[in-house]
Structures are given as structure tokens and as C-alpha cells.
């Protein structure tokens, strides 16, 4: 799993970002895309705040003694400790992952799938506002790729360092974490900056945007007569392995979790709270804020483009980012906790997502 996680971070993710964002972004349109990063960062901030508040209540409440401890029932280091009343305290990996499972969403892959399906459906309300399915899908994928790049930036610049610190703290002051990629504790500001921002996904995102800003370079790399056509096609083939690789990684982590019984490291109350906050509370808050911004005329192109506004609303309804599993496997820390939290969200996501999307259509494109 560690080798696959390294491969995803260094090969699959950069190939996907470069082949999708490089040719689809246009310098003349980028100025109207500012709501995408702003609303994603807002979504992450609100989700992390909700996760932090719930963390104070869930984990501190579980840590309070509720009666005499049954020492024979206490588990080994790093697993759930059980009290006489059956209330457990979670591992440090669960505490570190809980806010991220609420705040960091799947802003790339899932919106691409959802929007492509909606654009291809001739009975969808979108058929009233788009010229044809091909144009609709092309525009939606372009926005989704931009959102994916922002999501990757959030994942590798924020989530990775946070989990690194949690892992290093546990190794120094608490139970030992799973073996994995050895990363030294950051000692200087330069080290923190390098590990947070100088990595393949973020560098590729910056390079793709730079290519898109120069039409001559963009045409030379991705044009029909480009001499680099073979290279781009090879990268597209590599990028096609991203979703299968991430799915295999998540499935293997989940299988190992249930085989070893490690799912006990995350209490059902923690899993259920993460599901409710990520799939119900956070979409409701962010949709309300977006509606207010729309009525104030502060959403840029979304104020006149219904498809763009629906895309921005869909960003708030997605479950947690699957790449959390990739990061945990890369660090060798919290694999079972991440697999349990993600599995629960993706099993529960179809129903709330369908309800929210139906509401968004009613909100943006009311029946005639």
C-alpha cells in the first residue's frame, strides 16, 4: 500500500492535473473562476470548524471517566480503550483525521462524474439552459478540474503536514504508529514550507496554470499538430489509472481494517457524527451562504450562469476526499481510521447528495 500511495502522489495525480487542467483552462476565462477556490476554501474552513467543535465534545466527553475502569477490557496501545460503561477513547489518528474527514471534500473526481451524468441526461433541467450535452460537459469538466487542483492543493499543503505532526507527536509522546514512510520532524520554517508546498501535485497545478496563461505554449503542448502529442497521450494513459489506483488503495486499507478488527479504533458515534456533519450540516450551511452571496450579486459569473452556480453548489455536497486514505498510507499512520471514516461516508452519500442536488435544481432552475 505504501508503494501504491507513493505512486499516486508522484505519478497519477500530477498526470491527471496536467492533462486535464493544462488544455482546458483559458486565460480569458480564468478571471471568472475566482468563486471556485474562494468557496472551496470557505467550505474547508467551515468543515474544519465544525469538526473542531465536534472533536471537543466527542473526544473530551469520551475521555471523562464514567465509572471504575475495567483494566482487563482495556485494549493495547493505539486502539480504543473501553470503560466499564462501554464508552471508548479513540486513537490519536482518529482525532487527527476527524476534522479532515468533515472539512476536506472530494472536489475533483466526484463532481466530474455527477456533472457529466447530468449534462448527458436530456430530461435534466440543465437541458433548458445549455446548448448541447457536449458543450455542457466540456465546461463542467473544466471547472471540476480547477476544483480538483484546488482540492489537491488543500490536501497536500494542509492535510499532509497536519497528519505528519500528529504522527510524529504520537511517536514521541504516545503509542507507536504503524510503520510507513519515515519523515523527520520539521525543525525549521523552511522545512515546513518545503514539505507543505514543494511536492508533485502542487508543482504540477502551478505549472498547468502557467501553461494555460500563455496560449502559444498551450497550443504548442496540447494542439492537434503538437510535436508533444505522443507525450501528452502517454500522460493521459497514466492519468487514467488514478481512480482505479485510489479505489484499490482505499479497498485494501478497508479490507485490512476489517480483517484485523481495527475498525474499533473509531467509535460508531465518531463515524456517525462525521457522516452527518459532512453530508448534511455542512452542505446546508454552505448552500445558505452561497444563496445569500448570489442574491447580493457577489458570485461573479455564477450570477448569470446557472450551470456554474449548480457546480458551485454541488461542491458543498460531496463526501470526504479519498486522497485522505492515500496520505495516511503514505505516512503509515491512521490507515484503518481513514478507511473506516471514508467507507461510511461513501456508503451514505448517494441519498443526501441526490436530495441536495434536486433542491439545487429547484433553487436555480425552478419549474416553469
Amino acid at each position: 500500500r505504501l508503494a501504491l500511495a507513493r505512486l499516486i502522489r508522484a505519478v497519477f495525480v500530477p498526470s491527471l492535473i496536467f492533462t486535464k487542467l493544462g488544455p482546458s483552462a483559458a486565460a480569458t476565462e480564468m478571471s471568472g473562476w475566482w468563486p471556485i477556490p474562494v468557496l472551496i476554501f470557505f467550505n474547508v474552513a467551515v468543515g474544519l470548524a465544525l469538526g473542531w467543535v465536534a472533536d471537543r465534545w466527542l473526544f473530551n466527553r469520551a475521555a471523562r471517566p464514567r465509572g471504575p475502569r475495567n483494566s482487563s477490557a482495556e485494549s493495547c496501545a493505539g486502539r480504543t480503550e473501553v470503560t466499564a460503561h462501554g464508552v471508548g477513547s479513540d486513537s490519536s489518528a482518529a482525532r487527527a483525521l476527524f476534522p479532515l474527514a468533515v472539512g476536506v471534500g472530494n472536489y475533483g473526481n466526484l463532481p466530474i462524474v455527477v456533472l457529466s451524468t447530468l449534462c448527458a441526461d436530456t430530461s435534466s433541467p440543465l437541458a433548458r439552459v445549455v446548448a448541447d450535452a457536449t458543450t455542457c460537459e466540456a465546461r463542467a469538466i473544466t471547472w471540476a478540474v480547477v476544483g480538483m487542483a484546488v482540492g489537491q492543493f488543500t490536501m497536500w499543503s494542509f492535510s499532509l503536514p497536519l497528519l505528519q505532526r500528529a504522527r510524529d507527536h504520537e511517536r514521541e509522546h504516545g503509542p507507536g504508529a504503524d510503520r510507513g514512510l519515515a519523515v523527520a520532524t520539521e525543525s525549521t520554517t523552511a522545512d515546513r514550507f518545503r514539505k507543505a508546498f514543494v511536492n508533485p501535485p502542487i508543482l504540477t497545478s502551478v505549472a498547468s496554470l502557467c501553461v494555460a496563461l500563455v496560449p502559444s505554449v498551450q497550443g504548442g503542448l496540447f494542439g492537434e499538430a503538437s510535436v508533444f502529442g505522443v507525450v501528452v497521450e502517454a500522460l493521459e494513459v497514466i492519468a487514467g489509472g488514478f481512480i482505479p489506483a485510489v479505489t484499490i488503495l482505499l479497498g485494501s486499507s478497508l479490507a485490512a481494517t476489517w480483517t484485523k478488527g481495527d475498525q474499533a479504533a473509531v467509535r460508531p458515534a465518531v463515524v456517525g457524527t462525521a457522516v452527518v456533519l459532512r453530508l448534511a450540516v455542512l452542505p446546508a450551511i454552505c448552500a445558505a451562504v452561497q444563496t445569500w452571496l448570489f442574491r447580493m450579486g457577489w458570485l461573479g459569473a455564477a450570477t448569470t450562469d446557472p450551470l456554474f452556480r449548480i457546480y458551485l453548489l454541488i461542491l458543498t455536497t460531496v463526501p470526504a476526499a479519498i486522497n485522505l486514505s492515500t496520505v495516511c498510507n503514505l505516512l503509515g499512520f491512521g490507515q484503518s481510521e481513514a478507511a473506516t471514516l471514508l467507507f461510511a461516508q461513501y456508503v451514505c452519500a448517494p441519498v443526501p447528495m441526490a436530495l441536495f442536488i434536486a433542491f439545487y435544481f429547484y433553487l436555480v432552475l425552478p419549474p416553469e
Side-chain angles (χ1 to χ4, degrees), residues 34-45:
W34 64 264
I36 298 176
V38 170
L39 292 177
I40 286 179
F41 289 141
F42 175 77
N43 184 269
V44 172

PDB file of all heavy atoms in Angstrom, residues 34-45:
ATOM      1  N   TRP A  34     -12.862  32.807 -10.047  1.00  0.00           N
ATOM      2  CA  TRP A  34     -12.422  33.051  -8.677  1.00  0.00           C
ATOM      3  C   TRP A  34     -13.370  32.480  -7.619  1.00  0.00           C
ATOM      4  O   TRP A  34     -12.917  32.131  -6.508  1.00  0.00           O
ATOM      5  CB  TRP A  34     -12.223  34.556  -8.445  1.00  0.00           C
ATOM      6  CG  TRP A  34     -13.471  35.386  -8.560  1.00  0.00           C
ATOM      7  CD1 TRP A  34     -13.904  36.070  -9.641  1.00  0.00           C
ATOM      8  CD2 TRP A  34     -14.444  35.608  -7.539  1.00  0.00           C
ATOM      9  NE1 TRP A  34     -15.080  36.704  -9.390  1.00  0.00           N
ATOM     10  CE2 TRP A  34     -15.448  36.442  -8.090  1.00  0.00           C
ATOM     11  CE3 TRP A  34     -14.585  35.202  -6.219  1.00  0.00           C
ATOM     12  CZ2 TRP A  34     -16.563  36.859  -7.373  1.00  0.00           C
ATOM     13  CZ3 TRP A  34     -15.696  35.599  -5.497  1.00  0.00           C
ATOM     14  CH2 TRP A  34     -16.662  36.421  -6.068  1.00  0.00           C
ATOM     15  N   PRO A  35     -14.701  32.335  -7.883  1.00  0.00           N
ATOM     16  CA  PRO A  35     -15.537  31.738  -6.832  1.00  0.00           C
ATOM     17  C   PRO A  35     -15.157  30.295  -6.489  1.00  0.00           C
ATOM     18  O   PRO A  35     -15.450  29.833  -5.380  1.00  0.00           O
ATOM     19  CB  PRO A  35     -16.957  31.799  -7.420  1.00  0.00           C
ATOM     20  CG  PRO A  35     -16.909  32.909  -8.413  1.00  0.00           C
ATOM     21  CD  PRO A  35     -15.533  32.842  -8.999  1.00  0.00           C
ATOM     22  N   ILE A  36     -14.516  29.570  -7.427  1.00  0.00           N
ATOM     23  CA  ILE A  36     -14.195  28.167  -7.159  1.00  0.00           C
ATOM     24  C   ILE A  36     -13.219  28.033  -5.989  1.00  0.00           C
ATOM     25  O   ILE A  36     -13.546  27.372  -4.988  1.00  0.00           O
ATOM     26  CB  ILE A  36     -13.647  27.479  -8.429  1.00  0.00           C
ATOM     27  CG1 ILE A  36     -14.709  27.478  -9.533  1.00  0.00           C
ATOM     28  CG2 ILE A  36     -13.213  26.048  -8.106  1.00  0.00           C
ATOM     29  CD1 ILE A  36     -14.215  26.902 -10.851  1.00  0.00           C
ATOM     30  N   PRO A  37     -12.020  28.636  -6.047  1.00  0.00           N
ATOM     31  CA  PRO A  37     -11.121  28.491  -4.892  1.00  0.00           C
ATOM     32  C   PRO A  37     -11.661  29.165  -3.638  1.00  0.00           C
ATOM     33  O   PRO A  37     -11.488  28.636  -2.529  1.00  0.00           O
ATOM     34  CB  PRO A  37      -9.819  29.153  -5.367  1.00  0.00           C
ATOM     35  CG  PRO A  37     -10.214  30.053  -6.483  1.00  0.00           C
ATOM     36  CD  PRO A  37     -11.372  29.388  -7.147  1.00  0.00           C
ATOM     37  N   VAL A  38     -12.329  30.301  -3.793  1.00  0.00           N
ATOM     38  CA  VAL A  38     -12.845  31.003  -2.609  1.00  0.00           C
ATOM     39  C   VAL A  38     -13.867  30.144  -1.872  1.00  0.00           C
ATOM     40  O   VAL A  38     -13.804  29.976  -0.646  1.00  0.00           O
ATOM     41  CB  VAL A  38     -13.466  32.361  -3.017  1.00  0.00           C
ATOM     42  CG1 VAL A  38     -14.223  32.979  -1.848  1.00  0.00           C
ATOM     43  CG2 VAL A  38     -12.381  33.313  -3.498  1.00  0.00           C
ATOM     44  N   LEU A  39     -14.812  29.568  -2.604  1.00  0.00           N
ATOM     45  CA  LEU A  39     -15.857  28.771  -1.963  1.00  0.00           C
ATOM     46  C   LEU A  39     -15.323  27.433  -1.474  1.00  0.00           C
ATOM     47  O   LEU A  39     -15.814  26.907  -0.464  1.00  0.00           O
ATOM     48  CB  LEU A  39     -17.020  28.572  -2.929  1.00  0.00           C
ATOM     49  CG  LEU A  39     -17.812  29.848  -3.245  1.00  0.00           C
ATOM     50  CD1 LEU A  39     -18.895  29.575  -4.275  1.00  0.00           C
ATOM     51  CD2 LEU A  39     -18.421  30.443  -1.981  1.00  0.00           C
ATOM     52  N   ILE A  40     -14.334  26.869  -2.152  1.00  0.00           N
ATOM     53  CA  ILE A  40     -13.731  25.631  -1.649  1.00  0.00           C
ATOM     54  C   ILE A  40     -13.013  25.898  -0.335  1.00  0.00           C
ATOM     55  O   ILE A  40     -13.159  25.141   0.640  1.00  0.00           O
ATOM     56  CB  ILE A  40     -12.776  25.028  -2.694  1.00  0.00           C
ATOM     57  CG1 ILE A  40     -13.567  24.403  -3.843  1.00  0.00           C
ATOM     58  CG2 ILE A  40     -11.879  23.963  -2.048  1.00  0.00           C
ATOM     59  CD1 ILE A  40     -12.701  23.799  -4.931  1.00  0.00           C
ATOM     60  N   PHE A  41     -12.231  26.976  -0.276  1.00  0.00           N
ATOM     61  CA  PHE A  41     -11.541  27.305   0.969  1.00  0.00           C
ATOM     62  C   PHE A  41     -12.546  27.617   2.081  1.00  0.00           C
ATOM     63  O   PHE A  41     -12.334  27.251   3.241  1.00  0.00           O
ATOM     64  CB  PHE A  41     -10.593  28.488   0.756  1.00  0.00           C
ATOM     65  CG  PHE A  41      -9.387  28.154  -0.068  1.00  0.00           C
ATOM     66  CD1 PHE A  41      -8.892  29.052  -1.003  1.00  0.00           C
ATOM     67  CD2 PHE A  41      -8.737  26.942   0.066  1.00  0.00           C
ATOM     68  CE1 PHE A  41      -7.787  28.745  -1.780  1.00  0.00           C
ATOM     69  CE2 PHE A  41      -7.622  26.621  -0.702  1.00  0.00           C
ATOM     70  CZ  PHE A  41      -7.152  27.535  -1.629  1.00  0.00           C
ATOM     71  N   PHE A  42     -13.645  28.287   1.726  1.00  0.00           N
ATOM     72  CA  PHE A  42     -14.686  28.558   2.715  1.00  0.00           C
ATOM     73  C   PHE A  42     -15.308  27.251   3.195  1.00  0.00           C
ATOM     74  O   PHE A  42     -15.538  27.058   4.399  1.00  0.00           O
ATOM     75  CB  PHE A  42     -15.768  29.463   2.118  1.00  0.00           C
ATOM     76  CG  PHE A  42     -16.932  29.702   3.029  1.00  0.00           C
ATOM     77  CD1 PHE A  42     -16.827  30.590   4.089  1.00  0.00           C
ATOM     78  CD2 PHE A  42     -18.138  29.033   2.837  1.00  0.00           C
ATOM     79  CE1 PHE A  42     -17.906  30.813   4.943  1.00  0.00           C
ATOM     80  CE2 PHE A  42     -19.214  29.240   3.676  1.00  0.00           C
ATOM     81  CZ  PHE A  42     -19.097  30.134   4.735  1.00  0.00           C
ATOM     82  N   ASN A  43     -15.586  26.342   2.253  1.00  0.00           N
ATOM     83  CA  ASN A  43     -16.150  25.039   2.613  1.00  0.00           C
ATOM     84  C   ASN A  43     -15.218  24.277   3.539  1.00  0.00           C
ATOM     85  O   ASN A  43     -15.660  23.692   4.546  1.00  0.00           O
ATOM     86  CB  ASN A  43     -16.412  24.245   1.327  1.00  0.00           C
ATOM     87  CG  ASN A  43     -17.075  22.916   1.576  1.00  0.00           C
ATOM     88  OD1 ASN A  43     -16.388  21.909   1.755  1.00  0.00           O
ATOM     89  ND2 ASN A  43     -18.391  22.884   1.562  1.00  0.00           N
ATOM     90  N   VAL A  44     -13.923  24.292   3.237  1.00  0.00           N
ATOM     91  CA  VAL A  44     -12.949  23.604   4.084  1.00  0.00           C
ATOM     92  C   VAL A  44     -12.885  24.249   5.463  1.00  0.00           C
ATOM     93  O   VAL A  44     -12.855  23.555   6.492  1.00  0.00           O
ATOM     94  CB  VAL A  44     -11.562  23.614   3.412  1.00  0.00           C
ATOM     95  CG1 VAL A  44     -10.494  23.088   4.371  1.00  0.00           C
ATOM     96  CG2 VAL A  44     -11.579  22.777   2.140  1.00  0.00           C
ATOM     97  N   ALA A  45     -12.883  25.589   5.500  1.00  0.00           N
ATOM     98  CA  ALA A  45     -12.791  26.281   6.789  1.00  0.00           C
ATOM     99  C   ALA A  45     -14.002  25.986   7.670  1.00  0.00           C
ATOM    100  O   ALA A  45     -13.862  25.699   8.869  1.00  0.00           O
ATOM    101  CB  ALA A  45     -12.662  27.789   6.547  1.00  0.00           C
TER     102      ALA A  45
END
